[in-house]
């Protein structure tokens, strides 16, 4: 085997090894429809709601869900007035709804742990700037709150003043000097987004908008397991059919394309795990769909090679020309699908986004395996059996020459 072929084989083994190690370390997370859990849609009851109020509500709900100890929850806005909450593995509907909808309590304590001020004493919280121009949080108190805060900060200069939300520490600023004007500044190494998030949580200790449960559904673990089994069965059947078709129609090149398809599956699954993607039923559908699409590029390449062989070119020249001529068509067809996947991800939510992610990753990986991996394997085969290469493609004119 030539040095170039050794490099190609070792490169392939390295890709598979890295993908396998990544998958072992970052296994794929299953979504609510596969793992079971609770799906809640909350809708604002107030007539007019602002983006800031809805973002504040999302931040508060995230803290409450974290208090439930739920792994991989999904809390996201849906449109202007709705918030979708997915709690994988949770089965107690009443507790989940009660925790999400309860009234939050903001407490500002002295260093001894005694509550001195509550959210009722806070008038406003917003992003400000410290003396170095860095993002900070500016808090403004009511007249009564201002007096309490002035006494607190005058007494505990140099001490930590814990701010708690729902009993959990939100921020613990140190008093540099007494704050007597009713407006304080919480400084730190905040990014703008961190300061903005903190200001929203301080300002909206309670839910900033009244929310009602629009829908509440539970997916049982048994249903999720059944979905996984059926989806895996469909994926295996689809993969076997594709493999058999490529073997029957393209023979040895088809076998090499099947090997590339195996590399493709490993790469896509590893990428999904590494990116922390949550696999849902639509995501599995996108993955199975991309398996079929993964060999499209190989079919285009092999047909171009056949045309070049019928035109009288020798095998190596035909393979080279076949890959070059098929490249533009492969890029064009996959680019249009990628644009569709991008649109689905941008405008979609939840499972639709999962479908878009798996489809997009599948397309990118399929282009790599078809254009690079299949070519590496084909060139290794050509070097190993140059005399019989023309027969592999079933072109009689090339065999007769």
């Amino acid at each position: 085997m030539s040095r170039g072929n050794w490099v190609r084989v070792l490169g392939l083994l390295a890709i598979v090894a890295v993908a396998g190690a990544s998958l072992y370390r970052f296994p794929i997370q299953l979504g609510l429809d596969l793992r079971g859990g609770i799906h809640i849609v909350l809708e604002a009851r107030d007539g007019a709601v602002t983006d800031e109020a809805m973002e504040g509500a999302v931040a508060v709900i995230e803290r409450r869900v974290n208090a439930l100890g739920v792994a991989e929850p999904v809390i996201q806005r849906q449109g202007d007035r709705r918030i979708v909450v997915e709690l994988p593995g949770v089965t107690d509907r009443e507790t989940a709804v009660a925790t999400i909808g309860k009234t939050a309590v903001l407490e500002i304590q002295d260093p001894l742990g005694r509550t001195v001020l509550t959210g009722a004493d806070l008038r406003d919280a917003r992003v400000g700037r410290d003396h170095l121009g860095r993002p900070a949080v500016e808090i403004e108190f009511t007249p009564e709150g201002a007096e309490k805060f002035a006494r607190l900060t005058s007494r505990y200069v140099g001490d930590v003043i814990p701010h708690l939300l729902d009993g959990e520490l939100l921020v613990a600023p140190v008093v540099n000097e007494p704050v007597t004007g009713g407006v304080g500044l919480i400084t730190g190494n905040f990014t703008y987004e961190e300061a903005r998030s903190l200001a929203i949580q301080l300002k909206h200790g309670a839910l900033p908008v009244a929310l009602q449960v629009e829908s509440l559904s539970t997916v049982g673990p048994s249903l999720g397991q059944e979905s996984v089994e059926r989806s895996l069965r469909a994926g295996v059947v689809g993969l076997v059919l594709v493999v058999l078709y490529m073997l029957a129609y393209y023979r040895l090149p088809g076998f090499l394309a099947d090997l590339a398809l195996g590399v493709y599956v490993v790469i896509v699954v590893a990428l999904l795990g590494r990116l922390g993607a949550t696999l849902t039923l639509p995501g599995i559908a996108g993955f199975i769909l991309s398996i079929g699409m993964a060999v499209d590029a190989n079919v285009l390449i092999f047909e171009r090679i056949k045309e070049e062989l019928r035109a009288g070119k020798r095998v190596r020249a035909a393979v080279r020309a076949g890959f070059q001529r098929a490249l533009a068509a492969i890029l064009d067809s996959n680019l249009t699908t990628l644009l569709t996947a991008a649109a689905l991800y941008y405008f979609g939510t939840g499972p639709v986004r999962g479908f878009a992610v798996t489809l997009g990753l599948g397309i990118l990986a399929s282009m790599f395996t078809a254009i690079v991996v299949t070519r590496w394997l084909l060139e290794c085969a050509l070097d190993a059996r140059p005399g019989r290469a023309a027969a592999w493609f079933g072109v009689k004119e090339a065999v007769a020459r």
Side-chain angles (χ1 to χ4, degrees):
M1 186 181 291
S2 68
R3 182 178 178 184
N5 287 338
W6 273 114
V7 172
R8 295 184 184 103
V9 171
L10 291 176
L12 280 177
L13 292 176
I15 290 172
V16 173
V18 170
S22 176
L23 185 59
Y24 178 77
R25 184 173 180 186
F26 303 100
I28 296 179
Q29 301 293 331
L30 298 182
L32 189 72
D33 50 356
L34 301 177
R35 188 176 167 190
I38 295 177
H39 178 92
I40 307 171
V41 178
L42 303 166
E43 184 170 359
R45 285 190 302 184
D46 301 335
V49 293
T50 63
D51 281 345
E52 183 184 11
M54 291 301 289
E55 287 183 22
V58 169
V60 172
I61 291 173
E62 282 178 345
R63 291 184 61 85
R64 296 175 183 178
V65 169
N66 290 336
L68 288 172
V70 178
E72 304 296 332
V74 175
I75 302 105
Q76 59 187 11
R77 288 181 60 180
Q78 185 181 69
D80 296 331
R81 306 176 56 81
R82 289 185 173 181
I83 297 173
V84 175
V85 182
E86 293 185 349
L87 308 175
V90 175
T91 56
D92 190 341
R93 298 161 54 124
E94 288 74 19
T95 300
V97 172
T99 302
I100 292 171
K102 72 180 181 182
T103 301
V105 177
L106 174 66
E107 299 171 283
I108 300 178
Q109 298 180 339
D110 64 16
L112 302 177
R114 297 172 298 196
T115 300
V116 180
L117 296 95
T118 67
D121 298 311
L122 196 68
R123 171 176 288 171
D124 193 15
R126 51 189 173 267
V127 177
R129 297 281 175 181
D130 63 12
H131 66 285
L132 296 176
R134 297 174 300 188
V137 178
E138 198 172 87
I139 51 176
E140 182 179 350
F141 295 93
T142 63
E144 185 179 351
E147 293 179 9
K148 295 178 183 177
F149 199 65
R151 289 196 295 272
L152 178 67
T153 53
S154 298
R155 184 173 181 181
Y156 294 108
V157 173
D159 290 327
V160 173
I161 303 297
H163 294 48
L164 292 86
L165 186 63
D166 287 340
E168 294 185 10
L169 184 64
L170 186 62
V171 65
V174 176
V175 179
N176 295 321
E177 59 184 357
V179 179
T180 57
V183 178
L185 192 66
I186 301 176
T187 61
N189 294 321
F190 298 127
T191 64
Y192 179 83
E193 285 302 322
E194 288 172 342
R196 183 169 177 268
S197 174
L198 179 58
I200 289 174
Q201 292 183 75
L202 286 169
K203 183 178 178 180
H204 302 300
L207 284 173
V209 292
L211 298 171
Q212 62 183 7
V213 177
E214 181 67 18
S215 67
L216 173 63
S217 58
T218 303
V219 179
S222 58
L223 178 59
Q225 183 62 33
E226 183 180 352
S227 300
V228 172
E229 291 174 356
R230 285 177 175 269
S231 301
L232 288 177
R233 194 179 308 147
V236 170
V237 170
L239 185 62
V240 169
L241 289 176
V242 170
V243 168
L244 291 178
Y245 174 81
M246 294 300 289
L247 279 175
Y249 196 78
Y250 291 106
R251 290 178 272 187
L252 182 62
F255 173 72
L256 299 179
D258 290 338
L259 290 180
L261 189 62
V263 176
Y264 158 82
V265 171
V266 174
I267 290 176
V268 172
V269 175
L271 282 175
L272 289 173
R274 185 65 184 86
L275 294 175
T278 300
L279 195 61
T280 61
L281 275 179
I284 292 178
F287 180 61
I288 295 173
L289 177 63
S290 68
I291 289 177
M293 296 175 66
V295 294
D296 276 359
N298 288 124
V299 171
L300 275 174
I301 292 168
F302 294 158
E303 290 302 321
R304 292 288 185 273
I305 293 175
K306 283 185 173 182
E307 290 175 3
E308 297 297 331
L309 288 171
R310 293 191 186 99
K313 285 187 177 178
R314 303 187 75 82
V315 176
R316 289 186 184 278
V319 169
R320 196 161 45 245
F323 273 93
Q324 289 174 349
R325 288 186 57 196
L327 183 60
I330 293 171
L331 292 178
D332 287 346
S333 61
N334 284 286
L335 182 60
T336 53
T337 311
L338 268 179
L339 291 174
T340 305
L344 283 173
Y345 183 83
Y346 184 79
F347 293 105
T349 60
V352 177
R353 281 191 162 188
F355 176 83
V357 169
T358 52
L359 183 60
L361 288 178
I363 292 169
L364 293 174
S366 71
M367 284 196 289
F368 171 74
T369 54
I371 297 172
V372 178
V373 175
T374 302
R375 185 163 186 168
W376 284 359
L377 293 173
L378 201 52
E379 289 179 348
C380 288
L382 286 174
D383 289 343
R385 303 294 295 273
R388 302 189 57 184
W392 295 343
F393 293 93
V395 179
K396 295 179 180 177
E397 298 90 329
V399 175
R401 285 195 292 271

